[in-house]
């Protein structure tokens, strides 16, 4: 019997001129949970797509041994039949189909005669979700009725339904709340107890530390090390990932906020389906020139709704009075807000941030194309120059600005969305979860950029679920709970406990 469940040997994967994987070797023992770590663009997702048959045999070099036998899969179906199941970084659910239909897509239960057995599938769907402790989902409703966290859990339930021997989770936790993450980690522990092997990818290294037995680090498409977690620490994982010690996770703050430049008054958002219910209830706040204002609170507290309403992007009925430099401005739609000097990087990159059919560069200049228009022609050279400058400034990793944006790694797509908004040269920048899916090194760069912008006088609002990050970078912190303002703190010896207490106390 082979000691390893899986061996990948000398895997090379090229996309045109880009060598995403440059001869990677990894080995995985049966029953262990492997943390696959690396910076944005290191090749984690690509390696897992090779393994799971997304990239069929013949489109990469190298060998895969599965239970000691060569695996030369040409489709995901084949790898699933072999017991390899992947949960992708970007959700793959079909929004219009019901929860049950999504759970059984390609895997339907049929009656004799071939018709679908909806009763059996619905029953099994309820069971599967119950195993994940999800009891508030109606399985016959379309998936789009549910938020990101629930959709992620539905995706996990779908994978569990396939009886995996090896379960690959590519950043499963980025849209989960901390209680949902706790559920997820418990699920992985119980799968492990049942003998299921896991490969877990996450930029949240505390999760990796909590759950993984072995750490595999890769950098620039090459294998760096395979180390038992007991010999590792979060600091060492980071050092292996970035290739140097990082003794500081947050840059020094050295700016002083000036006068009040921005005010949002009486922001109220109503539930689109039930206008009597207020998701944000009469919240007002101010912002100073060069200030970074963190907005903390539990998921579902109304933080995203609050900032979306301020920017005119809230999808239901809302009211907000917004003043910039003492004058009321029209922020009733995102376009008007951008014209008035606001910019927002939304939480949901895939649906509101990127246009998947356009290139990296086209996505970046989308909001400022008029700047390059001369006599109804676009000055392509000027546009390209600007794009290249932004790519360099944000250290955005792409082989060319002409590649489709969807070919970028998750963290680099996030940088492209940030670039798009910065090009509008806003006075007020709103960032909703700006470092979701971003690696530690790139997080530092984004913080540095925020601090530089603040020093130049930009006022920044940052919604974040990571309290450490809120404390690491904000000058002031608002706490939102159940749609109301629960606290407004200057970030001076402020602690996570203070913020959490404010979030949950009425
Ligand atoms: N379809 C593609 N076409 C061109 N280049 C690609 C494609 N898919 C991936 N790449 C490139 O391969 C490299 C590795 O990307 P990959 O998505 O595997 O990174 P990752 O480690 O998963 O990063 P992240 O943590 O940001 O998700 C990147 O430079 C990426 O731009
Ligand atoms: Mg990835």
């Amino acid at each position: 019997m082979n000691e390893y469940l899986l061996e990948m040997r000398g895997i090379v994967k090229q996309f045109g001129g880009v060598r995403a994987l440059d001869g990677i070797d990894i080995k995985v023992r049966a029953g262990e949970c492997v943390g696959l770590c690396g910076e944005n663009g290191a090749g984690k997702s690509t390696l897992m797509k090779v393994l799971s048959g997304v990239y069929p045999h013949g489109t990469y070099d190298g060998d895969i041994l599965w239970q000691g036998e060569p695996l030369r899969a040409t489709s995901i179906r084949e790898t699933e039949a072999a017991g390899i199941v992947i949960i992708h970084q970007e959700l793959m659910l079909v929004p219009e189909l019901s929860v049950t239909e999504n759970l059984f897509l390609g895997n339907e239960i049929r009656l004799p005669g071939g018709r679908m057995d909806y009763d059996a599938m619905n029953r099994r769907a309820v069971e599967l979700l119950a195993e994940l402790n999800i009891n508030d989902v109606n399985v016959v409703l379309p998936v789009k009725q549910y938020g990101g966290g629930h959709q992620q859990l539905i995706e996990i339930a779908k994978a569990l339904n396939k009886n995996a021997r090896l379960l690959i989770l590519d950043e499963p936790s980025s849209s989960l709340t901390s209680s949902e993450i706790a559920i997820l980690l418990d699920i992985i522990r119980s799968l492990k107890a049942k003998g299921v092997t896991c490969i877990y990818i996450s930029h949240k290294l505390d999760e990796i530390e909590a759950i993984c037995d072995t750490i595999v680090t890769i950098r620039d498409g090459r294998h760096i090390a395979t180390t038992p977690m007991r010999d590792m620490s979060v600091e060492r994982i980071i050092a292996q990932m970035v290739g140097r010690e990082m003794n500081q996770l947050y840059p020094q703050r050295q700016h002083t906020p000036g006068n009040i430049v921005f005010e949002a008054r009486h922001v109220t958002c109503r539930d689109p389906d039930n206008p009597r219910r207020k998701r944000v209830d009469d919240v007002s706040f101010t912002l100073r020139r060069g200030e970074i204002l963190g907005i903390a609170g539990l998921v579902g507290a109304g933080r995203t709704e609050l900032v979306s309403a301020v920017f005119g992007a809230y999808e239901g009925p809302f009211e907000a009075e917004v003043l910039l430099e003492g004058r009321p401005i029209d922020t009733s739609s995102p376009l008007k807000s951008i014209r008035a000097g606001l910019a927002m990087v939304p939480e949901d990159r895939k649906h509101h941030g990127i246009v998947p059919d356009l290139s990296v560069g086209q996505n970046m200049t989308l909001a400022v194309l008029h700047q390059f228009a001369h006599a109804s022609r676009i000055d392509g050279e000027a546009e390209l120059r600007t794009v290249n400058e932004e790519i360099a400034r944000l250290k955005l990793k792409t082989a060319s600005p002409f590649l489709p944006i969807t070919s970028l790694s998750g963290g680099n797509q996030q940088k492209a969305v940030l670039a798009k908004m910065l090009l509008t040269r806003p006075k007020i920048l709103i960032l909703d979860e700006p470092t979701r899916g971003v690696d530690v090194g790139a997080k530092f760069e984004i913080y540095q950029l925020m601090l530089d912008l603040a020093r130049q006088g930009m006022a920044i609002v940052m919604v974040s679920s990571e309290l450490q990050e809120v404390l690491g970078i904000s000058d002031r912190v608002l706490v939102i709970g159940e749609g109301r303002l629960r606290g407004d703190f200057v970030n001076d010896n402020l602690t996570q406990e203070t913020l959490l207490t404010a979030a949950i106390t009425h």
Side-chain angles (χ1 to χ4, degrees):
M1 176 76 196
N2 197 307
E3 183 186 357
Y4 295 102
L5 177 69
L6 167 73
E7 286 186 58
M8 298 181 80
R9 291 185 185 156
I11 305 292
V12 173
K13 173 73 188 162
Q14 304 237 136
F15 296 102
V18 183
R19 201 167 247 244
L21 301 177
D22 193 11
I24 289 212
D25 300 296
I26 63 164
K27 294 177 183 179
V28 177
R29 287 194 173 80
E32 71 176 345
C33 180
V34 174
L36 182 56
C37 299
E39 294 182 283
N40 295 131
K44 305 178 296 294
S45 297
T46 305
L47 186 66
M48 292 302 106
K49 286 178 186 167
V50 165
L51 172 57
S52 58
V54 174
Y55 299 136
H57 180 74
T59 64
Y60 59 87
D61 290 329
D63 299 306
I64 303 177
L65 290 184
W66 174 245
Q67 308 184 59
E69 301 289 325
L71 179 76
R72 301 194 182 105
T74 53
S75 70
I76 310 187
R77 262 184 181 283
E78 271 177 57
T79 56
E80 280 186 354
I84 300 172
V85 175
I86 183 165
I87 299 173
H88 287 283
Q89 183 166 7
E90 309 290 348
L91 294 178
M92 299 280 184
L93 298 173
V94 185
E96 280 71 31
L97 294 185
S98 74
V99 173
T100 296
E101 284 164 329
N102 268 286
L103 285 172
F104 287 90
L105 199 63
N107 214 357
E108 293 83 1
I109 303 179
R110 293 184 186 272
L111 292 163
R115 281 200 311 132
M116 304 245 225
D117 187 348
Y118 273 104
D119 287 342
M121 288 194 285
N122 285 332
R123 269 198 310 276
R124 179 77 188 119
V126 172
E127 271 171 32
L128 275 168
L129 293 174
E131 281 174 38
L132 299 183
N133 251 327
I134 315 169
N135 303 306
D136 57 347
V137 165
N138 184 346
V139 296
V140 301
L141 291 182
V143 144
K144 66 177 179 204
Q145 297 264 327
Y146 295 98
H150 272 83
Q151 292 197 10
Q152 182 69 62
L153 292 173
I154 291 166
E155 191 94 64
I156 291 165
K158 183 175 164 188
L160 293 181
N161 191 33
K162 292 177 183 163
N163 290 322
R165 284 212 62 194
L166 172 68
L167 183 63
I168 303 162
L169 301 106
D170 192 351
E171 298 215 30
S173 66
S174 57
S175 53
L176 299 185
T177 63
S178 44
S179 55
E180 287 167 339
I181 292 176
I183 296 173
L184 172 67
L185 296 186
D186 275 342
I187 294 165
I188 296 176
R189 286 188 192 101
S190 70
L191 287 174
K192 219 158 81 176
K194 288 184 201 153
V196 177
T197 308
C198 289
I199 298 181
Y200 193 85
I201 301 178
S202 176
H203 289 292
K204 296 184 180 165
L205 298 178
D206 48 342
E207 290 167 15
I208 298 266
E209 189 183 25
I211 195 121
C212 297
D213 310 300
T214 306
I215 306 299
V216 172
T217 43
I218 64 175
R219 194 192 317 143
D220 295 331
R222 297 209 179 95
H223 175 250
I224 299 298
T226 298
T227 325
M229 185 59 221
R230 59 173 185 276
D231 299 335
M232 285 293 257
S233 61
V234 167
E235 291 71 30
R236 286 203 53 203
I237 298 176
I238 293 175
Q240 286 184 357
M241 280 170 60
V242 302
R244 63 188 155 87
E245 298 285 330
M246 264 193 73
N247 27 33
Q248 222 192 335
L249 293 183
Y250 301 95
Q252 282 295 326
R253 276 189 284 149
Q254 348 166 276
H255 59 276
T256 332
N259 296 329
I260 291 178
V261 283
F262 179 85
E263 276 183 75
R265 292 183 187 159
H266 310 302
V267 182
T268 295
C269 300
R270 291 168 193 280
D271 194 306
D273 299 322
N274 175 13
R276 283 215 303 269
R277 198 182 144 238
K278 292 178 181 171
R279 306 223 306 223
V280 175
D281 190 0
D282 196 15
V283 172
S284 302
F285 66 91
T286 58
L287 259 180
R288 293 176 180 278
R289 188 179 303 281
E291 181 175 52
I292 299 181
L293 176 70
I295 300 192
L298 306 179
V299 171
R303 301 165 308 166
T304 292
E305 290 83 350
L306 170 66
V307 293
S308 310
V310 167
F311 188 64
Y314 180 68
E315 82 273 22
F318 69 94
E319 295 136 48
E321 263 176 64
V322 181
L323 287 88
L324 183 63
E325 292 162 342
R327 279 190 296 278
I329 53 168
D330 182 358
T331 61
S332 54
S333 77
L335 198 61
K336 287 177 180 159
S337 299
I338 290 174
R339 283 202 193 118
L342 270 56
M344 178 160 121
V345 176
E347 170 183 36
D348 181 354
R349 174 175 67 229
K350 197 174 171 194
H351 291 109
H352 303 294
I354 62 165
V355 181
D357 295 334
L358 298 184
S359 71
V360 177
Q362 286 169 322
N363 265 281
M364 285 168 61
T365 53
L366 213 51
V368 293
L369 262 190
H370 57 275
Q371 289 177 11
F372 306 108
H374 296 296
S376 77
R377 274 190 55 244
I378 298 290
D379 180 349
E381 265 173 50
E383 185 186 3
L384 185 59
R385 228 176 4 254
T386 305
V387 165
N388 281 330
E389 276 165 23
E390 286 304 301
I391 287 177
R393 179 157 79 124
L394 296 179
K395 303 201 178 90
L396 194 156
K397 201 170 160 189
T398 178
S400 142
F402 302 109
L403 287 177
I405 184 123
T406 45
S407 77
L408 293 189
S409 74
N412 284 299
Q413 291 187 18
Q414 182 68 13
K415 288 187 182 177
V417 178
L418 190 57
K420 163 174 145 191
M421 278 303 149
L422 288 178
L423 281 175
T424 69
R425 309 216 176 286
K427 292 182 173 154
I428 311 293
L429 177 64
I430 302 169
L431 304 170
D432 195 354
E433 305 284 0
T435 64
R436 174 172 291 171
V438 170
D439 71 54
V440 276
K443 269 184 190 159
F444 190 91
E445 287 160 14
I446 289 180
Y447 301 143
Q448 186 70 64
L449 181 74
M450 288 169 68
L451 291 173
D452 289 347
L453 294 168
R455 202 163 42 236
Q456 292 158 26
M458 196 184 285
I460 301 177
V461 180
M462 175 184 75
V463 174
S464 168
S465 301
E466 295 200 31
L467 290 178
Q468 276 188 19
E469 165 175 281
V470 170
L471 293 172
I473 184 146
S474 315
D475 298 300
R476 197 155 58 88
V477 183
L478 297 186
V479 178
I480 307 291
E482 293 176 341
R484 298 215 174 85
L485 188 61
R486 290 270 172 75
D488 183 342
F489 303 94
V490 172
N491 187 9
D492 196 7
N493 297 322
L494 197 56
T495 62
Q496 297 202 17
E497 288 68 46
T498 312
L499 297 180
L500 273 176
T501 310
I504 57 180
T505 346
H506 296 243

